[in-house]
Amino acid sequence: MKVLLDLQYLNVATTGIKTYMMELAKAAIQNPHPEIEWIFSHDPDEQAKDNTHKSPKNKFQRLNYHLDYFRWKEFQLPDMIKKHKPDLLICPDFVSPAAKLPCKRMTVIHDAFFWEMPQNYPKWWRTYFLGLVRKGLKEPTEIVTTTEFSKKALIKHLKTEHPISVIYQTPKSLGTDRDSSILERYNIGSKAFFLHLGTFDKRKNLPILVNAFKEAKEKEKFDFKLVLAGGEGQSIQMNDFPIVENLVKELGLQDEVVLPGFVSDAEANALYENAYAYVFPSENEGFGIPVLEAMAAGVPVIHSDQPALVEVSKGAGLIAKTGSVTDLREKMILLAKDENLRNDLKKRGLERANDFGPGKFIKAFQELILSARP
């Protein structure tokens, strides 16, 4: 069975899709199957380093990227298929070519955000992108998604007869390096801190976390800091970083809330290693990779009651009501006071994280691939 994995999108991916693509490629290399031959459209490491289209500074640069992406999907990728003659094409970035292909397809649609949260995307771009998604589903395609929750959402919005399979992904491999200089640089090594690591997308509900932290400090003797690490949201509509930054100033929390921006894997390891707890108040997730990263690092987790997160954590996290400052505040206070609860969450989190290794991730793909044999 010859399988072509489309990795072109790695040249701009910065969030969970990048993790998905990189970990799938690495797992395929590290876990060979005698009946599967993998062909990568690009070298994953080299493609991820390509900065040609990253962080466009104007409309012309954004348009140039979209044209490049369209050329790849509709012309260059079909040409590669003609050259290599794979039995199966896997597109892990929502979009498969609209052209008729001589092979079967699997398309990974990670979540239903584009349908459920239209306010977070430019109208023209959302219309264009959803058009690409639907055109790529015209031919027989196996859709792959990340959770049972996402599957139900896609069935509702796509109204498709294509089969949809759930494959739990694996969190990002952060390696073993530790860069503890970040603790000294932001003066967070001497005080316990709550951590959120991820982009400042609006759906992450980070203003709610800041307000909950402020109220916890006012209600109790709450001698903690709050570290919000990660890059800005992916678009003007989605970016909450300026809002969070202004809120921190308005609440007088400049000395208590740390905004270090994007951090390296080595810095992320140091933050996870020293965090008192990880807090993830997101209002909508298809999976929730940071929850598993934190659990794997032995960090207790507080997360919202968003269904995908409840499904992934499976009782190993402390659940707070989505969008409620009061409930999130109380959960943070509870965890700060109850060391037995904290230790129990650490133990359950480590056990749950073991269910999401790269071996299980690729095995599920291998089984689905082999089931697609002619």
Side-chain angles (χ1 to χ4, degrees), residues 205-221:
N205 274 345
L206 295 181
I208 285 175
L209 175 52
V210 173
N211 280 309
F213 177 73
K214 172 67 171 178
E215 290 190 9
K217 290 184 72 66
E218 292 176 344
K219 184 176 179 181
E220 301 284 338
K221 186 179 179 182

Side-chain angles (χ1 to χ4, degrees), residues 61-100:
Q61 290 179 349
R62 286 192 290 271
L63 177 61
N64 191 39
Y65 163 69
H66 289 306
L67 290 173
D68 184 74
Y69 184 80
F70 183 82
R71 282 193 299 270
W72 168 257
K73 287 291 183 180
E74 304 305 335
F75 298 100
Q76 293 168 292
L77 183 55
D79 283 345
M80 179 173 276
I81 290 168
K82 290 178 183 178
K83 176 182 177 181
H84 292 283
K85 297 180 173 57
D87 301 294
L88 177 69
L89 168 68
I90 299 180
C91 292
D93 60 340
F94 287 80
V95 177
S96 178
K100 185 176 179 61

